[in-house]
Amino acid sequence: MGENDAANQLKKKSTWLNKLVYLGGFLIICNVLSVIFLPVITTRYLRLISSVIILLYYLFLLPKHNLLFFFAIAAFIVRDYFSIYYESQTSTYLYFVFGFIAYSILVIKQARNLRLYRVQLPSLLSLVLFAIASFFILILLETLVKENFTSSATTYFFYSMGTSIILLLFIAIYYHYRLGNLRSLIFSFSVFSFMISDAICCFAYYMDLYNLYIAVRLFYILGLILLTNYAVNSTLRKKELSFKEELW
């Protein structure tokens, strides 16, 4: 009886996983409309609320959670809170700090996942070149917006979070290169979505291009939804584990 109850509960939660895409679509529409029609402060609160909804959905309705993913999403939520008061210098610093923490947690999670694989030097060399190109783009972005930084210290926080994103992107691409399955693709798209969202957000805020926030919200919510799917999709995880055994 107990096993049947557990199986039914797992089946029910798997159904909620299938509905995750609808939640993401609903939140994206709400955020895009808020950018178009509502005041800036309201749109910032809605972004925070959207992140909290995704975390609660992850905790209470989905089949499985991982502590590191929970902490990563929680760090994104704290960052969203400080984005509400971003004009305060302290909030600016803490926004970058918690972004750095969120991306660093994901780096640690995936580094632990990849340590079991044999290193393939040619692919690593290609990714190093990609990382160098990404740093040049980061430097270019900083050059464009640094005149609007309210203090010189903001530059250091900017580069700290930017470096953590590039490192995570490096790991995500290598992860997909080594496995080449749907689960690794979902994680890679999640990381790309976060990177695009943060890059556009920085450019939009410091260059005063408000309409770009539509893309910011779209890619940010998409990144959270894809990350949540990656974290809890047990079917894809089992397929990945069976593939890992072949690689080992």
Side-chain angles (χ1 to χ4, degrees), residues 117-146:
Y117 298 106
R118 294 187 298 272
V119 175
Q120 293 190 345
L121 190 58
S123 62
L124 281 181
L125 290 176
S126 299
L127 288 175
V128 166
L129 293 175
F130 175 82
I132 292 173
S134 298
F135 273 111
F136 276 114
I137 295 173
L138 183 66
I139 293 169
L140 176 62
L141 179 60
E142 188 264 344
T143 302
L144 292 172
V145 302
K146 68 179 180 180

Short mmCIF file of all heavy atoms in Angstrom, two decimals, residues 117-146:
data_model
loop_
_atom_site.label_atom_id
_atom_site.label_comp_id
_atom_site.label_asym_id
_atom_site.label_seq_id
_atom_site.Cartn_x
_atom_site.Cartn_y
_atom_site.Cartn_z
N TYR A 117 34.35 12.41 -15.60
CA TYR A 117 34.66 12.18 -17.01
C TYR A 117 36.14 12.35 -17.30
O TYR A 117 36.82 13.16 -16.67
CB TYR A 117 33.88 13.14 -17.90
CG TYR A 117 32.38 12.99 -17.81
CD1 TYR A 117 31.62 13.94 -17.13
CD2 TYR A 117 31.75 11.91 -18.38
CE1 TYR A 117 30.26 13.80 -17.04
CE2 TYR A 117 30.38 11.77 -18.30
CZ TYR A 117 29.63 12.72 -17.63
OH TYR A 117 28.28 12.58 -17.53
N ARG A 118 36.60 11.60 -18.28
CA ARG A 118 37.97 11.80 -18.75
C ARG A 118 38.05 13.13 -19.49
O ARG A 118 37.16 13.48 -20.28
CB ARG A 118 38.39 10.67 -19.69
CG ARG A 118 38.49 9.31 -19.01
CD ARG A 118 39.08 8.28 -19.97
NE ARG A 118 38.23 8.12 -21.13
CZ ARG A 118 37.22 7.25 -21.18
NH1 ARG A 118 36.93 6.50 -20.14
NH2 ARG A 118 36.48 7.16 -22.28
N VAL A 119 39.11 13.87 -19.24
CA VAL A 119 39.29 15.17 -19.88
C VAL A 119 39.71 14.98 -21.34
O VAL A 119 40.59 14.17 -21.64
CB VAL A 119 40.36 16.01 -19.13
CG1 VAL A 119 40.62 17.32 -19.87
CG2 VAL A 119 39.93 16.26 -17.71
N GLN A 120 39.05 15.71 -22.22
CA GLN A 120 39.41 15.68 -23.64
C GLN A 120 40.06 17.02 -23.99
O GLN A 120 39.39 18.06 -24.08
CB GLN A 120 38.17 15.42 -24.49
CG GLN A 120 37.59 14.04 -24.29
CD GLN A 120 36.51 13.71 -25.31
OE1 GLN A 120 36.01 14.60 -25.98
NE2 GLN A 120 36.16 12.44 -25.41
N LEU A 121 41.35 16.98 -24.17
CA LEU A 121 42.14 18.20 -24.34
C LEU A 121 41.72 19.05 -25.53
O LEU A 121 41.61 20.27 -25.40
CB LEU A 121 43.63 17.84 -24.44
CG LEU A 121 44.61 19.02 -24.38
CD1 LEU A 121 44.42 19.80 -23.08
CD2 LEU A 121 46.04 18.53 -24.52
N PRO A 122 41.49 18.48 -26.73
CA PRO A 122 41.10 19.34 -27.87
C PRO A 122 39.85 20.16 -27.59
O PRO A 122 39.79 21.35 -27.94
CB PRO A 122 40.86 18.32 -28.99
CG PRO A 122 41.69 17.15 -28.62
CD PRO A 122 41.63 17.07 -27.13
N SER A 123 38.85 19.55 -26.97
CA SER A 123 37.62 20.29 -26.68
C SER A 123 37.87 21.38 -25.65
O SER A 123 37.30 22.48 -25.73
CB SER A 123 36.53 19.34 -26.18
OG SER A 123 36.93 18.70 -24.96
N LEU A 124 38.73 21.10 -24.67
CA LEU A 124 39.04 22.10 -23.65
C LEU A 124 39.75 23.30 -24.27
O LEU A 124 39.48 24.45 -23.91
CB LEU A 124 39.91 21.49 -22.55
CG LEU A 124 39.19 20.64 -21.50
CD1 LEU A 124 40.18 20.12 -20.48
CD2 LEU A 124 38.10 21.44 -20.80
N LEU A 125 40.66 23.06 -25.20
CA LEU A 125 41.38 24.15 -25.85
C LEU A 125 40.40 25.04 -26.64
O LEU A 125 40.52 26.27 -26.62
CB LEU A 125 42.46 23.59 -26.78
CG LEU A 125 43.66 22.93 -26.10
CD1 LEU A 125 44.60 22.33 -27.13
CD2 LEU A 125 44.41 23.94 -25.23
N SER A 126 39.44 24.43 -27.30
CA SER A 126 38.44 25.20 -28.04
C SER A 126 37.61 26.05 -27.09
O SER A 126 37.31 27.21 -27.38
CB SER A 126 37.53 24.25 -28.82
OG SER A 126 38.27 23.49 -29.76
N LEU A 127 37.26 25.46 -25.94
CA LEU A 127 36.45 26.19 -24.98
C LEU A 127 37.24 27.31 -24.31
O LEU A 127 36.67 28.34 -23.95
CB LEU A 127 35.91 25.23 -23.92
CG LEU A 127 34.81 24.28 -24.41
CD1 LEU A 127 34.44 23.29 -23.33
CD2 LEU A 127 33.58 25.07 -24.83
N VAL A 128 38.53 27.13 -24.15
CA VAL A 128 39.37 28.19 -23.59
C VAL A 128 39.34 29.40 -24.53
O VAL A 128 39.23 30.55 -24.09
CB VAL A 128 40.82 27.70 -23.37
CG1 VAL A 128 41.75 28.89 -23.13
CG2 VAL A 128 40.88 26.75 -22.19
N LEU A 129 39.45 29.14 -25.83
CA LEU A 129 39.36 30.22 -26.82
C LEU A 129 38.00 30.91 -26.75
O LEU A 129 37.90 32.14 -26.85
CB LEU A 129 39.61 29.68 -28.23
CG LEU A 129 41.03 29.16 -28.51
CD1 LEU A 129 41.10 28.55 -29.90
CD2 LEU A 129 42.05 30.28 -28.35
N PHE A 130 36.95 30.11 -26.57
CA PHE A 130 35.62 30.67 -26.43
C PHE A 130 35.52 31.54 -25.18
O PHE A 130 34.92 32.62 -25.20
CB PHE A 130 34.59 29.54 -26.35
CG PHE A 130 33.19 30.01 -26.08
CD1 PHE A 130 32.39 30.49 -27.09
CD2 PHE A 130 32.68 29.97 -24.78
CE1 PHE A 130 31.10 30.92 -26.83
CE2 PHE A 130 31.39 30.41 -24.52
CZ PHE A 130 30.60 30.89 -25.55
N ALA A 131 36.12 31.07 -24.06
CA ALA A 131 36.10 31.83 -22.82
C ALA A 131 36.84 33.16 -22.98
O ALA A 131 36.40 34.21 -22.48
CB ALA A 131 36.72 31.01 -21.69
N ILE A 132 37.96 33.13 -23.69
CA ILE A 132 38.72 34.36 -23.94
C ILE A 132 37.88 35.35 -24.73
O ILE A 132 37.83 36.55 -24.42
CB ILE A 132 40.03 34.04 -24.68
CG1 ILE A 132 40.98 33.25 -23.76
CG2 ILE A 132 40.71 35.33 -25.15
CD1 ILE A 132 42.23 32.74 -24.45
N ALA A 133 37.18 34.85 -25.76
CA ALA A 133 36.30 35.71 -26.55
C ALA A 133 35.18 36.29 -25.68
O ALA A 133 34.81 37.46 -25.81
CB ALA A 133 35.71 34.91 -27.71
N SER A 134 34.67 35.48 -24.75
CA SER A 134 33.61 35.94 -23.85
C SER A 134 34.12 37.06 -22.94
O SER A 134 33.40 38.03 -22.65
CB SER A 134 33.08 34.78 -23.01
OG SER A 134 32.52 33.78 -23.83
N PHE A 135 35.36 36.94 -22.49
CA PHE A 135 35.95 37.98 -21.65
C PHE A 135 36.10 39.29 -22.43
O PHE A 135 35.90 40.38 -21.87
CB PHE A 135 37.30 37.54 -21.09
CG PHE A 135 37.19 36.78 -19.81
CD1 PHE A 135 37.50 35.43 -19.75
CD2 PHE A 135 36.77 37.41 -18.63
CE1 PHE A 135 37.40 34.72 -18.56
CE2 PHE A 135 36.68 36.71 -17.44
CZ PHE A 135 36.98 35.36 -17.40
N PHE A 136 36.45 39.19 -23.70
CA PHE A 136 36.54 40.40 -24.52
C PHE A 136 35.17 41.08 -24.64
O PHE A 136 35.06 42.31 -24.59
CB PHE A 136 37.09 40.07 -25.91
CG PHE A 136 38.59 40.02 -25.98
CD1 PHE A 136 39.26 38.84 -26.23
CD2 PHE A 136 39.34 41.17 -25.76
CE1 PHE A 136 40.64 38.79 -26.28
CE2 PHE A 136 40.73 41.14 -25.80
CZ PHE A 136 41.39 39.94 -26.06
N ILE A 137 34.12 40.28 -24.78
CA ILE A 137 32.76 40.82 -24.84
C ILE A 137 32.40 41.48 -23.50
O ILE A 137 31.79 42.56 -23.47
CB ILE A 137 31.75 39.71 -25.19
CG1 ILE A 137 32.02 39.20 -26.60
CG2 ILE A 137 30.32 40.22 -25.06
CD1 ILE A 137 31.20 37.99 -26.98
N LEU A 138 32.80 40.84 -22.40
CA LEU A 138 32.55 41.41 -21.07
C LEU A 138 33.26 42.75 -20.91
O LEU A 138 32.68 43.72 -20.39
CB LEU A 138 33.02 40.43 -19.99
CG LEU A 138 32.76 40.83 -18.53
CD1 LEU A 138 31.26 40.86 -18.25
CD2 LEU A 138 33.45 39.84 -17.58
N ILE A 139 34.49 42.81 -21.38
CA ILE A 139 35.26 44.06 -21.31
C ILE A 139 34.60 45.14 -22.16
O ILE A 139 34.51 46.31 -21.76
CB ILE A 139 36.72 43.82 -21.75
CG1 ILE A 139 37.44 42.93 -20.74
CG2 ILE A 139 37.46 45.15 -21.92
CD1 ILE A 139 38.79 42.42 -21.22
N LEU A 140 34.11 44.75 -23.34
CA LEU A 140 33.44 45.69 -24.22
C LEU A 140 32.18 46.24 -23.56
O LEU A 140 31.92 47.45 -23.61
CB LEU A 140 33.08 45.01 -25.55
CG LEU A 140 32.28 45.84 -26.55
CD1 LEU A 140 33.06 47.08 -26.98
CD2 LEU A 140 31.90 45.01 -27.77
N LEU A 141 31.40 45.35 -22.92
CA LEU A 141 30.18 45.79 -22.23
C LEU A 141 30.52 46.75 -21.11
O LEU A 141 29.86 47.79 -20.94
CB LEU A 141 29.43 44.57 -21.68
CG LEU A 141 28.14 44.86 -20.89
CD1 LEU A 141 27.13 45.59 -21.77
CD2 LEU A 141 27.55 43.57 -20.34
N GLU A 142 31.57 46.44 -20.35
CA GLU A 142 31.97 47.32 -19.25
C GLU A 142 32.44 48.68 -19.77
O GLU A 142 32.15 49.72 -19.16
CB GLU A 142 33.08 46.65 -18.44
CG GLU A 142 33.46 47.37 -17.16
CD GLU A 142 34.67 48.28 -17.33
OE1 GLU A 142 35.38 48.12 -18.35
OE2 GLU A 142 34.90 49.14 -16.45
N THR A 143 33.11 48.68 -20.90
CA THR A 143 33.56 49.93 -21.51
C THR A 143 32.38 50.82 -21.90
O THR A 143 32.43 52.04 -21.74
CB THR A 143 34.42 49.64 -22.75
OG1 THR A 143 35.54 48.82 -22.37
CG2 THR A 143 34.94 50.92 -23.37
N LEU A 144 31.31 50.19 -22.37
CA LEU A 144 30.14 50.94 -22.81
C LEU A 144 29.36 51.56 -21.64
O LEU A 144 28.78 52.65 -21.78
CB LEU A 144 29.20 50.03 -23.62
CG LEU A 144 29.71 49.57 -24.98
CD1 LEU A 144 28.77 48.52 -25.57
CD2 LEU A 144 29.85 50.74 -25.94
N VAL A 145 29.35 50.87 -20.50
CA VAL A 145 28.46 51.31 -19.41
C VAL A 145 29.20 51.92 -18.21
O VAL A 145 28.56 52.52 -17.33
CB VAL A 145 27.59 50.13 -18.91
CG1 VAL A 145 26.77 49.55 -20.05
CG2 VAL A 145 28.44 49.05 -18.25
N LYS A 146 30.53 51.81 -18.15
CA LYS A 146 31.24 52.18 -16.93
C LYS A 146 31.11 53.66 -16.59
O LYS A 146 31.21 54.04 -15.41
CB LYS A 146 32.71 51.79 -17.03
CG LYS A 146 33.52 52.56 -18.05
CD LYS A 146 34.97 52.11 -18.02
CE LYS A 146 35.81 52.87 -19.04
NZ LYS A 146 37.22 52.41 -19.01
#
